[in-house]
Structure formats: C-alpha cells, structure tokens
Amino acid sequence: MDILKSLGHPEEIFNLFKFKMGGCRTVMPKLDYESMSDSLRTCYLYLNQTSRSFAAVIQALDGELRHAVCIFYLVLRALDTVEDDMSIPLDKKVPMLNDFHTYLYQDEWSFSESQEKDRQVLEDFPTISLEFRNLALEYRDVISDICHRMGVGMAEFLEKKVGSMKEWDQYCHYVAGLVGIGLSRLFSASQLEDPEVGRDTELANSMGLFLQKTNIIRDYLEDTQEGRAFWPQEAWSQFAGRLEDLAQPEKLESALSCLNLLVTDALRHVPDVITYLSRLRNQSVFNFCAIPQVMAIATLSLCYNNPLVFQRVVKIRKGQAVTLMMEATNMRAVQTIITQYSQEILQKVSLTDPSRDKTLHILALIREKSALSQSSLPSRTHHLSPMYLSAAMLLAALSWQYLSTTAAQAQGTNDMQGQ
C-alpha cells in the first residue's frame, strides 16, 4: 500500500491525501475531450494507455502545443515499439526504422505483426498519422525530422552494443536527446517559449540524456534478465567479465563501484538541466520539463551505492513522486530539490569508491550552479503542528482505500473512454 511506504515521511502522507482530494488538478488540469474529434480523442486514449510517466504532464500543456506533443509522443512510441520488438527480423526492422518518418504521410500505413504490449500504436497508426497531418506545418516539420534522425540512430545500434562511454552518450542522444531537442523546438514553435530554447540543442540534449541514463541505471536487472545490455562496456568491463555478473552477491563491491561510476556520469548533465529550466517562462512548459527531471535526480539518489539495484527495479515512493510533482512548479523549488538530493548522494560517497573524486567534483558544480547555500534552503516539509499532522496521517490512512475506490469510479465515469 502506497501510504505505508511513506509512514516515515509525514509530508508525503499529507501530499498523497491532498493529491487524492484534487490537488493533482493544480498541476494537471482535466482536458475537455468533448470538443475533440474522434481521432484526436483516440490519440489521447493511446497516450494514457502507453505512457506511465508523461501522459499527465503532456495533457497539462497549454493550447495547441498539447496536441503537438501528444502526437510527437505517439509517433516516437510507435517507432520505439518497432525497435523493441524482438520478433521482427533485422532485415525487416532496419528498413522500417530508417523509413518510419515517411509513414507519417502515408494515409493507410499500419503494422499488425508486432508482439509488443504497445502494438496498438502500430496497428492503428493511420489515426495517429491523420492527426499528425492536421498539425501546423512548423510542428510537422519538427516531428518528421526528429523521427527520421531517431530511426536512423536506432537502426545503427541494433547490430552493435554500447561499448564506450562516448557511444553511451551517442545511443542516449538517439533515443532521448533527440526527444529533448524536438520538444524544445516545439516549445519555441508554439511561441510559448523564446526561440533560444529551441536553438540551444546542447542543453536540450542534456535534458534527454539525464532522463535516459537514469532509466538505464535503474533498470539494470530487468534489462539484463531480458537480454538487453545498455550499461556501457567501458564501464562494466572494469569490474566484471560479463555485465550480468554484477548481479552475483560475491560481486557486490565491484557492482556498486560500476553503479556509482554511471550515476556520476549521469549527474554531469544536471548543471545543463538547471540552465535549461531557468530559461523557461510558460508555467505548463516548466512543469512538463521540471517534474521528470526532479524525479530523475531523486531516483539517482536512491540508486547511488544501493545494492538493491542488482536485486530488483528500485523506484521512488509514490508519496515522494506526488510531493515532487506538486512542489516542482518554480525554479527556486527545483533548485532546492536538486540541492537536497545532491546532498543525499554526497552523504553516501564512500572513502574507497573509485569514482569518489569525480563524484565530489560534479556534486560541487551542481551545488554552485544551484546557487543556494545550505543555510538558506527553505524546508520542503510542511510546518504542521504534531497534533494536526498526526490527525492528517490518521485520516489519510483511514480514508485511503475509500478515496482510491471512489476516485477510480469517478475516473471511469468521466474520462474519455466514457465519451
């Protein structure tokens, strides 16, 4: 039960309760599905079915940008589904990836042979491509260009493993950095953000790389068990003969050294993340960009020097995620969150860790970039009296099951599937 995991964090219980009672709408307002065409409504249905992380923040974007980012996500989800599907032979998959951007302008193109769980975006690609063609030209040009470049990059890495740290950056650029670049161009094209946001591809690339590297680090066990290898060989070969050997109990010390090396490498993108976020002016765009980034640094803090990474997929608590979502709505709050989790990582750095000096160096850069001294940081804990806090915790605990049930019923009544 989510609330039990947050028992040692009273502010999370408070925010979980607040979130259930409607606080989510301050960050994620509900969409008016009735005003949409049937095909666009179907696209949002697919968005909610295929995205655990981004559906909510995409639907909170302002104006026509929301639809453009929704379609952008679905196009790339379809492309990614082709890449992930191990049942498609390479001689068929490679041309599909290289040519995928051309399918956007083919009314009837679809693919019904996928075995992946998200195959509906391929089977009903005509609905997605129809809404793509309904977008303004400036949005279509960005989406088509990024789809093309990403497909080519995915095809390149199908037949080679991620070897060097440089290749790790290159792979993450293809699958996530390009997403950051494309989104930034969409932000600027919508005129909700300045042209500078779309032009600075280096910062946009770092936004994507930070998220992708965090996911790769966190998903070590799941990926290796399914035969996927995304940790760079240059890193893991220093500590083991095979990547999967890091999960062996007798390899724990070496495994943690490798893990910490990769976390340190991911952290070097955080100064760019801070610079990027500080340029944003539209509230919905800021929330969209900031929330995944603060969740990523919270995840890295959880992963750093943590043996559980090699035993299961580690995830931040739901109460923690809700708290971050509700708080990361302005730059100062984001700086506070980044500084807090950087400090948590700092406290875990071992005297004997091979990457210690590099870790300390990047954490110092992050602290400097955040421009917040530890003494001036505002507390992120709600200042509630012990009696009120205890009452809130008790009320939350007693009400949680009821609220979960009624919220699910309301969702089933009001969401777009009931339109």
Side-chain angles (χ1 to χ4, degrees):
M1 193 175 183
D2 295 315
I3 199 167
L4 297 179
K5 297 178 181 178
S6 293
L7 283 179
H9 306 269
E11 76 282 4
E12 292 181 12
I13 296 178
F14 179 85
N15 284 327
L16 276 167
F17 185 73
K18 184 178 177 182
F19 193 80
K20 278 286 185 182
M21 294 299 291
C24 58
R25 295 304 173 200
T26 62
V27 180
M28 301 175 296
K30 195 167 182 63
L31 288 188
D32 178 16
Y33 292 109
E34 290 184 355
S35 64
M36 298 180 186
S37 66
D38 289 343
S39 55
L40 184 57
R41 198 155 53 234
T42 298
C43 286
Y44 278 100
L45 173 63
Y46 292 156
L47 173 67
N48 283 283
Q49 288 175 344
T50 59
S51 173
R52 292 172 298 176
S53 305
F54 293 109
V57 285
I58 288 175
Q59 291 172 95
L61 288 168
D62 288 340
E64 62 183 16
L65 176 63
R66 179 191 308 125
H67 300 328
V69 174
C70 173
I71 301 306
F72 185 40
Y73 174 87
L74 291 176
V75 169
L76 298 187
R77 171 56 61 194
L79 178 67
D80 190 58
T81 301
V82 172
E83 183 205 23
D84 287 344
D85 196 332
M86 303 302 290
S87 69
I88 305 175
L90 283 181
D91 60 353
K92 188 172 186 177
K93 182 184 292 190
V94 170
M96 283 182 67
L97 293 173
N98 285 322
D99 296 339
F100 203 87
H101 66 290
T102 67
Y103 305 151
L104 294 168
Y105 289 98
Q106 298 180 27
D107 296 2
E108 302 300 325
W109 186 89
S110 65
F111 185 72
S112 58
E113 302 170 29
S114 176
Q115 303 300 313
E116 288 292 297
K117 60 180 175 56
D118 294 332
R119 58 185 175 272
Q120 69 266 39
V121 295
L122 291 171
E123 293 171 347
D124 193 21
F125 197 74
T127 296
I128 298 169
S129 65
L130 171 63
E131 286 302 326
F132 164 81
R133 293 189 296 276
N134 286 339
L135 294 173
L137 177 63
E138 55 266 32
Y139 298 134
R140 297 200 308 268
D141 286 347
V142 172
I143 295 171
S144 178
D145 176 54
I146 296 299
C147 181
H148 184 197
R149 293 161 64 184
M150 185 179 292
V152 170
M154 287 177 169
E156 177 184 336
F157 274 90
L158 276 179
E159 299 185 90
K160 73 174 184 180
K161 294 183 178 180
V162 179
S164 66
M165 298 298 288
K166 184 177 179 180
E167 286 177 335
W168 198 37
D169 277 356
Q170 186 182 27
Y171 172 76
C172 291
H173 164 73
Y174 283 138
V175 300
L178 284 172
V179 179
I181 291 169
L183 285 170
S184 300
R185 290 168 59 188
L186 292 177
F187 298 156
S188 294
S190 72
Q191 299 186 0
L192 293 177
E193 296 295 346
D194 293 336
E196 176 189 33
V197 172
R199 286 196 300 260
D200 197 331
T201 57
E202 183 175 349
L203 291 185
N205 188 59
S206 284
M207 292 283 285
L209 262 63
F210 184 58
L211 297 182
Q212 185 66 22
K213 287 182 178 181
T214 298
N215 289 339
I216 288 173
I217 291 167
R218 179 199 63 195
D219 294 341
Y220 162 83
L221 191 64
E222 180 180 309
D223 285 336
T224 54
Q225 287 177 341
E226 295 186 11
R228 298 189 296 260
F230 297 117
W231 282 27
Q233 185 173 358
E234 181 181 336
W236 60 257
S237 63
Q238 300 176 42
F239 306 101
R242 300 182 306 159
L243 177 58
E244 52 268 35
D245 290 346
L246 294 175
Q248 298 176 4
E250 63 271 20
K251 288 283 189 179
L252 179 58
E253 184 177 352
S254 295
L256 291 176
S257 295
C258 184
L259 170 64
N260 296 342
L261 183 157
L262 294 181
V263 171
T264 299
D265 181 80
L267 287 171
R268 67 184 172 87
H269 300 293
V270 174
D272 280 352
V273 168
I274 295 170
T275 299
Y276 183 97
L277 293 175
S278 69
R279 291 179 176 176
L280 300 178
R281 297 293 174 261
N282 178 269
Q283 186 65 59
S284 73
V285 172
F286 184 87
N287 293 351
F288 175 87
C289 295
I291 290 170
Q293 300 292 332
V294 296
M295 290 190 181
I297 196 165
T299 300
L300 283 185
S301 176
L302 179 61
C303 289
Y304 185 83
N305 211 40
N306 186 351
L308 292 179
V309 171
F310 304 97
Q311 300 170 25
R312 59 179 172 82
V313 176
V314 298
K315 295 181 180 180
I316 60 176
R317 300 177 301 275
K318 185 172 183 179
Q320 190 178 2
V322 165
T323 297
L324 291 172
M325 185 184 303
M326 296 178 70
E327 292 187 353
T329 56
N330 62 79
M331 196 61 216
R332 181 163 181 84
V334 168
Q335 288 174 301
T336 301
I337 293 166
I338 289 175
T339 303
Q340 173 191 326
Y341 285 112
S342 298
Q343 186 65 27
E344 286 187 9
I345 294 172
L346 179 63
Q347 293 170 355
K348 299 177 185 177
V349 179
S350 166
L351 290 172
T352 59
D353 189 87
S355 302
R356 173 183 170 82
D357 290 344
K358 289 183 178 179
T359 308
L360 296 179
H361 176 69
I362 189 57
L363 290 174
L365 288 179
I366 293 170
R367 188 164 56 249
E368 179 182 345
K369 189 72 177 180
S370 293
L372 291 172
S373 66
Q374 291 298 316
S375 60
S376 67
L377 284 179
S379 172
R380 290 175 52 230
T381 303
H382 292 273
H383 294 287
L384 305 172
S385 69
M387 181 178 295
Y388 183 85
L389 187 56
S390 297
M393 291 171 62
L394 179 60
L395 179 61
L398 292 174
S399 304
W400 187 260
Q401 188 62 44
Y402 171 76
L403 288 170
S404 298
T405 302
T406 55
Q409 291 172 343
Q411 179 76 19
T413 302
N414 298 322
D415 70 10
M416 63 185 148
Q417 297 182 59
Q419 299 299 330

